Amino acid sequence: MNMLDQFLWVIFPYLCITVFIIGHIYRYRVDQMNWTAKSSEFVEKKQLRIGSMMFHIGVLPVIAGHVVGLGIPKSWMHALGINDHMYHIGAVYIGSFFGILTLLGMLILTSRRFTKKNVRRLSSFSDLAVNVALLLIILLGIYSTIVTNAVEPSFDYRTTISVWFRHLFIFQPDASYMQDVPLSFKLHILSGFFIFGMWPFTRLVHVWSVPLRYFRRSYILYRKQ
Ligand code: HEM
């Protein structure tokens, strides 16, 4: 393992996670009033509605797929009766379907942000950068799932990337698991971590303000007089 590998697969991920945590605490304390994704709905509604719906419907299953694929060891899956073939079919077909939905949504949102004059004028540099970064990450993810998996069928990310990923969180980082990982996966993961580092300083903070209580609140009762 050379120094670059140690940096990319040990120092860089920890750096992004640290900035993610400390950045959120800092932003919450210092800039709570701007904790939002500034709305541009009053400038353009149609593309926002469709792009945002596609992106959010796609990204939730994609996140769930990441939790399962990266978080659950292969042997546990086998114990549950899910063999490699079944897993692969699910990951590739279901993953690609929702990945492409996420990509189409993001393409609509990004083209809207760059090409609609009034939306662009309302956007900060970080708004534009988040869109471009997400687009790149999603493209690399889909490319890895559809193309790299097909071109290099012997590569198994569950015995390499997933093990490396879990080792980070038990504080036993081991860059050697990433040594023979194909480039598209490597770029996907590095850009994925990078966006976690950007997160607290961008509109992405709105994710933590989803009004979940809204779903559990009592209905408003309307009474006649
Ligand atoms: C930060 C760490 C991340 C890691 C280690 C990671 C890892 C992976 C892996 C291993 C795959 C291939 C799945 C397969 O072939 O079945 C994948 C696919 C994908 N990733 Fe990531 N990813 C990360 C972050 C992200 C982020 C931030 C996004 C943004 C939305 C993202 C979006 C996608 C998409 C759209 C796909 C293709 C569809 C799918 O398999 O769900 N990833 N990722």
Side-chain angles (χ1 to χ4, degrees), residues 22-171:
I22 296 183
H24 273 96
I25 297 170
Y26 172 81
R27 173 107 190 248
Y28 191 76
R29 289 185 159 199
V30 173
D31 188 33
Q32 209 181 111
M33 291 301 170
N34 288 316
W35 184 284
T36 171
K38 251 188 318 175
S39 178
S40 56
E41 188 182 349
F42 56 92
V43 179
E44 194 286 331
K45 213 176 206 160
K46 211 166 128 211
Q47 289 187 16
L48 174 67
R49 194 181 295 159
I50 183 149
S52 172
M53 200 165 73
M54 286 168 82
F55 174 77
H56 287 96
I57 292 176
V59 85
L60 291 176
V62 167
I63 294 171
H66 280 65
V67 172
V68 173
L70 298 172
I72 303 182
K74 207 171 166 172
S75 54
W76 294 16
M77 288 286 190
H78 288 173
L80 289 171
I82 301 167
N83 65 30
D84 289 356
H85 182 65
M86 285 156 73
Y87 178 86
H88 187 69
I89 297 292
V92 172
Y93 288 96
I94 304 175
S96 302
F97 175 79
F98 286 108
I100 289 170
L101 192 64
T102 314
L103 176 66
L104 293 177
M106 205 60 221
L107 277 171
I108 294 173
L109 292 174
T110 309
S111 88
R112 169 185 179 272
R113 200 160 275 286
F114 277 87
T115 59
K116 296 269 166 204
K117 222 163 76 194
N118 288 337
V119 181
R120 172 117 196 216
R121 220 172 358 198
L122 271 181
S123 308
S124 64
F125 173 76
S126 97
D127 293 340
L128 300 172
V130 163
N131 276 46
V132 173
L134 276 173
L135 205 54
L136 183 78
I137 298 170
I138 296 164
L139 268 172
L140 286 164
I142 293 177
Y143 181 88
S144 306
T145 299
I146 299 177
V147 182
T148 313
N149 274 335
V151 176
E152 297 190 41
S154 61
F155 173 71
D156 184 355
Y157 72 83
R158 287 196 295 160
T159 54
T160 50
I161 299 172
S162 303
V163 184
W164 161 79
F165 188 78
R166 289 195 296 272
H167 272 70
L168 285 177
F169 293 93
I170 53 170
F171 300 106

Side-chain angles (χ1 to χ4, degrees), residues 219-225:
Y219 294 109
I220 299 172
L221 289 179
Y222 292 100
R223 292 199 178 90
K224 277 187 195 163
Q225 305 267 315

